Amino acid sequence: MSVQRRCRVLPGLLLLVGSVGAALTPAPTTIRFVDAGAEAGVSLVTWHGRPDKPHLLESGGAGVALFDYDLDGDLDLYVVNGWRLDGAEVVERGANALYQNSGEGVFVDVTEDAGVGDRGWGTAVTVGDIDGDGHPDLFVTNFGSDVLYHNTGGRFEVIEADVGIDGWSSSSVFFDGDGDGDEDLFVTGYIETSLDDVMQAKVGLRWKNTEVMRGPFGFEGLANRYFVNDGAGNFSDATAAAGLDDVGLFYSFGVVATDLDADGLVDLYVANDSNPNYLYRNLGGGQFEEVGLWSGAALDHRGMAQAGMGIATADYDADGLPDLFVTNFADDTCTLYRNLGRMAFEDVSAPAGLVEPTFGPLSWGTVFADFDLDGDLDLFVANGHIYPQADSVASANTSFAQPNHMLEQTDDGFRDVSAEAGPGLEVRQSSRGVAVGDIDNDGDLDLVIANMDAPPSVLRNESARLGEWLAVDASGAVAVEVTAAGHTWRRQRVRGGSYASSSDDRFYFGLGSITGPASLRVRWPDGSVTERTGMALGQIAVVTR
Amino acid sequence: MRKLSVVAILLAVLFMPAWAFAQESPPAMVGTYDALADAILALKEAEADFVRSLLVYHFDAANMQHVLGHPEETAREMALFANEGDNAIAGIRKRLLDGGHHHNAAGEAEGIYERGYVIVTLEAKWAVMKASAAMRQAADEEAVLAAWRDFVEIAGSVLQPEE
């Protein structure tokens, strides 16, 4: 090749190489979160035992709820608190807190006025309207007696009822299990233990050349329980009658309720630590059958049980069926179960690109949401180890406080964009529960994350928007479809999920480059449908039955 | 209390019968342990036999559902075969493990078994789960038959009597 010809070819070659390189390098993410920190007004430190965590109870942390308790159109925040211990002494019985949203996502503590400052060792919170009066009520699980709060219209009263688990109840969910139109309640139990055990606990399990808390192996599992509502907010135990027995007495953490097989009935999925997960198919008439092992959603692709913690549920691949994403312990992957229909699931974590980013950290709360409004669902995962001793073991190659994960969905699966997603993703805490919601009503979805022995993180979404949005406030609806420019997006009602937390119950749609107007189909529990056409985008549309 | 224990040991040595100084374990205790060993090994064998009968049950149930032309129910029984029973059985297995009864510690160390599995190896479990998923998703009769053939082959080798 002559020098002259080489000179002609080289620039072309470089251009080609450059183009291929650019094609192989993914475009930088537009997802960006900032830590609103003290500016958001949420300063409550939530306590979870002693700094060295000698008992398993001190490892589970707690959750948060985003819900509109005063029906003023913006999301308020409920934060669950535990106890602070020093040796065998209780230093502080932390009170839960309710923060009223004063608009634009700034919160003011109204706990005392609202009467919701329970001082039990709190673990989780779920939201539901137990008597159908339109005011959202709260159920708080504790280590000890759980608490049912009835919202009387901006103030709450404790309902004295035999509901919940007197022990370490770890999560709960309100859902209509028997199809009679009211909110029933499922409560998960973790392990049998007592306050004496907690107070006297000493580290003793060898882990990576150091001693850490014992368990869960060696503890007896605490049975899950299910309570049916008579419609007036009175609950009675129907666990066995409904077929919801905790047959394995597994160590249950997260729970989610949604219709997984598109038969119009709400099914239940329970994440179990170190045991197969449960999947309860709703047969109708208030009856369930446990189908976890044969569904493919109880074990990972190797056929192994994992250490299930939290659950995200949504139709990530837009095929009309909700899928399941389960967070697990460190040195193991989180698992994405793709819904194949008829209660069959397949572990697609590897092809979805989720193995590498999720293998190292210990993961808890998790949510699917379209954070950049590009029309597909991304994943957020809260991380944090259970052993504080991880900080002093160099070979452990991990730490108690861990950065959280933002996993953006692309055409090639999920991509870890945490390092590029702004200062909100630089926060390092030992995180647990997560709730997602539009706290400033600006159309994009924000995050609140519960942290161990620290205040919650309020992460405000400041992503560059890749498209239009539409939100639908349709209390009681089971599903919403939005159609615009020939494209249809579907969201199904999901109750519970994440970890120990409760999220915004409005339906949010990122629409990508589609422009309006849009039409809506809102489906109600009785099968009836409300339709709207000519909807302008960029609004929160309120639809009532 | 400690002084009392020392005195008790001294007295026991002083008044110990002559055979107690012989360098062998008491024959009666040997005999008892021998009988206990028979019971322990018989129990272990009984557990394996029981799990084998559980597998035969799920195999037969799968066969019946297959003959009746119910692929979803067949797939369900296949999955329960792979897991040596349902989650109620898994709960019992967990209780045994927590109590220190581990059937396959050696196998697990070699990556052959999942915790506590008695007969079905991890490899066989994975293969049956795959056949079960294929059965569930079978689009036509040919796919149903292919999944069934796979299952029968693996189940046959799992259920083969031990040499």
Side-chain angles (χ1 to χ4, degrees):
Chain A
M1 192 183 283
S2 70
V3 173
Q4 199 179 7
R5 188 161 174 212
R6 209 178 291 160
C7 286
R8 278 206 306 268
V9 170
L10 199 60
L13 205 61
L14 287 174
L15 197 65
L16 182 68
V17 169
S19 309
V20 171
L24 293 176
T25 308
T29 186
T30 61
I31 296 177
R32 179 182 158 82
F33 278 82
V34 296
D35 180 8
E39 184 191 303
V42 182
S43 56
L44 178 76
V45 175
T46 53
W47 297 109
H48 304 284
R50 291 155 281 209
D52 58 336
K53 315 287 178 209
H55 192 278
L56 203 52
L57 176 68
E58 298 165 83
S59 71
V64 291
L66 282 169
F67 72 120
D68 184 8
Y69 89 97
D70 51 4
L71 304 181
D72 66 352
D74 56 30
L75 290 175
D76 309 299
L77 171 65
Y78 192 72
V79 179
V80 179
N81 203 350
W83 289 7
R84 184 183 183 191
L85 308 181
D86 181 7
E89 298 291 319
V90 178
V91 177
E92 182 181 343
R93 292 167 193 254
N96 301 341
L98 178 64
Y99 290 94
Q100 186 181 48
N101 192 336
S102 61
E104 298 181 353
V106 176
F107 294 98
V108 177
D109 190 335
V110 294
T111 311
E112 205 167 309
D113 285 348
V116 284
D118 182 61
R119 287 184 182 273
W121 187 316
T123 56
V125 57
T126 189
V127 179
D129 182 4
I130 60 170
D131 54 357
D133 65 356
H135 297 282
D137 308 300
L138 290 175
F139 184 74
V140 179
T141 55
N142 285 323
F143 170 58
S145 301
D146 301 331
V147 181
L148 179 60
Y149 283 116
H150 178 231
N151 186 342
T152 58
R155 282 188 57 80
F156 292 79
E157 60 186 25
V158 175
I159 303 286
E160 299 294 342
D162 184 17
V163 63
I165 299 174
D166 191 6
W168 182 355
S169 38
S170 48
S171 274
S172 62
V173 63
F174 281 119
F175 73 114
D176 187 6
D178 50 13
D180 64 354
D182 57 36
E183 303 266 26
D184 308 305
L185 178 69
F186 187 84
V187 186
T188 61
Y190 190 62
I191 57 165
E192 291 272 7
T193 190
S194 68
L195 189 56
D196 277 351
D197 290 343
V198 175
M199 292 305 193
Q200 304 307 323
K202 300 225 176 334
V203 294
L205 178 71
R206 285 305 283 179
W207 175 80
K208 301 196 179 188
N209 295 323
T210 191
E211 292 203 322
V212 298
M213 66 181 71
R214 296 171 197 274
F217 292 112
F219 286 94
E220 189 170 327
L222 182 61
N224 304 328
R225 291 179 72 185
Y226 169 65
F227 302 87
V228 292
N229 187 345
D230 68 359
N234 304 305
F235 291 86
S236 56
D237 191 322
T239 315
L244 286 166
D245 282 315
D246 185 353
V247 290
L249 279 184
F250 294 155
Y251 312 125
S252 299
F253 266 141
V255 58
V256 71
T258 195
D259 179 6
L260 289 165
D261 53 359
D263 64 355
L265 303 167
V266 186
D267 310 296
L268 268 182
Y269 183 78
V270 180
N272 290 320
D273 185 2
S274 310
N275 284 286
N277 300 318
Y278 288 131
L279 174 52
Y280 295 101
R281 171 149 75 176
N282 192 332
L283 303 173
Q287 295 296 303
F288 293 79
E289 67 168 340
E290 206 281 302
V291 300
L293 284 175
W294 66 260
S295 73
L299 308 167
D300 70 3
H301 72 283
R302 301 162 299 172
M304 305 289 272
Q306 296 178 285
M309 308 287 182
I311 310 160
T313 309
D315 180 13
Y316 86 93
D317 55 355
D319 66 354
L321 293 165
D323 309 289
L324 297 162
F325 176 76
V326 182
T327 57
N328 293 308
F329 203 80
D331 301 327
D332 196 2
T333 65
C334 297
T335 304
L336 177 62
Y337 297 102
R338 183 168 169 256
N339 192 337
L340 305 173
R342 294 187 301 166
M343 281 299 184
F345 292 82
E346 180 184 18
D347 176 352
V348 294
S349 314
L354 290 165
V355 169
E356 194 191 335
T358 65
F359 187 82
L362 203 169
S363 303
W364 298 87
T366 179
V367 288
F368 277 114
D370 184 357
F371 293 113
D372 50 5
L373 306 179
D374 66 348
D376 59 29
L377 293 170
D378 312 300
L379 261 174
F380 177 83
V381 183
N383 299 317
H385 216 289
I386 60 169
Y387 304 142
Q389 293 80 0
D391 292 344
S392 53
V393 182
S395 62
N397 199 25
T398 186
S399 55
F400 185 57
Q402 300 179 342
N404 299 320
H405 269 143
M406 180 60 70
L407 304 162
E408 181 186 358
Q409 189 172 176
T410 69
D411 291 343
D412 301 319
F414 290 88
R415 186 166 72 95
D416 183 2
V417 297
S418 314
E420 317 162 42
L425 270 294
E426 289 168 12
V427 173
R428 286 179 75 98
Q429 293 283 351
S430 196
S431 299
R432 296 296 186 266
V434 176
V436 63
D438 183 3
I439 58 178
D440 43 10
N441 281 343
D442 65 352
D444 56 29
L445 290 163
D446 311 292
L447 293 159
V448 181
I449 303 146
N451 297 316
M452 299 284 282
D453 306 326
S457 303
V458 178
L459 303 189
R460 205 180 301 281
N461 189 341
E462 291 194 354
S463 304
R465 297 180 177 202
L466 296 179
E468 287 287 347
W469 63 278
L470 183 63
V472 182
D473 185 351
S475 183
V478 293
V480 175
E481 278 182 18
V482 169
T483 302
H487 289 72
T488 298
W489 288 262
R490 297 179 182 86
R491 296 277 189 277
Q492 192 165 299
R493 172 75 68 198
V494 175
R495 308 296 298 275
S498 184
Y499 173 76
S501 298
S502 193
S503 292
D504 190 347
D505 73 347
R506 297 173 293 187
F507 298 84
Y508 268 74
F509 298 86
L511 304 175
S513 55
I514 300 299
T515 53
S519 60
L520 286 183
R521 277 174 60 84
V522 178
R523 191 156 55 83
W524 306 99
D526 62 3
S528 62
V529 172
T530 302
E531 293 186 317
R532 297 270 179 87
T533 55
M535 303 291 295
L537 303 184
Q539 63 158 330
I540 301 171
V542 178
V543 179
T544 51
R545 187 160 17 172
Chain B
M1 180 63 87
R2 197 168 173 178
K3 276 182 187 167
L4 276 176
S5 304
V6 173
V7 170
I9 291 167
L10 282 173
L11 286 172
V13 169
L14 280 175
F15 294 101
M16 202 169 274
W19 56 259
F21 293 98
Q23 290 180 337
E24 62 179 24
S25 300
M29 293 179 92
V30 170
T32 305
Y33 198 22
D34 197 34
L36 193 59
D38 285 344
I40 289 167
L41 293 172
L43 266 180
K44 202 170 173 186
E45 208 167 306
E47 186 193 8
D49 286 345
F50 175 81
V51 173
R52 203 176 294 278
S53 67
L54 188 70
L55 294 177
V56 170
Y57 170 86
H58 287 299
F59 181 86
D60 287 348
N63 191 32
M64 190 182 75
Q65 295 294 351
H66 177 60
V67 169
L68 290 172
H70 300 154
E72 190 176 323
E73 286 74 14
T74 309
R76 179 193 301 211
E77 297 296 342
M78 288 161 69
L80 295 182
F81 180 100
N83 285 287
E84 291 188 351
D86 64 5
N87 266 332
I89 295 287
I92 295 164
R93 185 175 297 125
K94 168 174 160 282
R95 195 157 64 85
L96 287 168
L97 284 165
D98 285 350
H101 175 73
H102 200 310
H103 214 280
N104 290 312
E108 191 196 326
E110 293 167 24
I112 298 170
Y113 298 97
E114 192 185 1
R115 282 173 48 94
Y117 271 66
V118 179
I119 289 167
V120 178
T121 62
L122 188 54
E123 190 186 358
K125 178 182 178 182
W126 186 84
V128 175
M129 288 302 283
K130 198 174 159 204
S132 168
M135 175 68 77
R136 248 178 353 213
Q137 295 161 50
D140 51 35
E141 188 60 21
E142 197 179 325
V144 166
L145 286 174
W148 179 251
R149 272 196 302 271
D150 287 348
F151 172 59
V152 169
E153 190 181 331
I154 308 156
S157 67
V158 166
L159 290 173
Q160 235 172 20
E162 283 173 11
E163 296 282 313

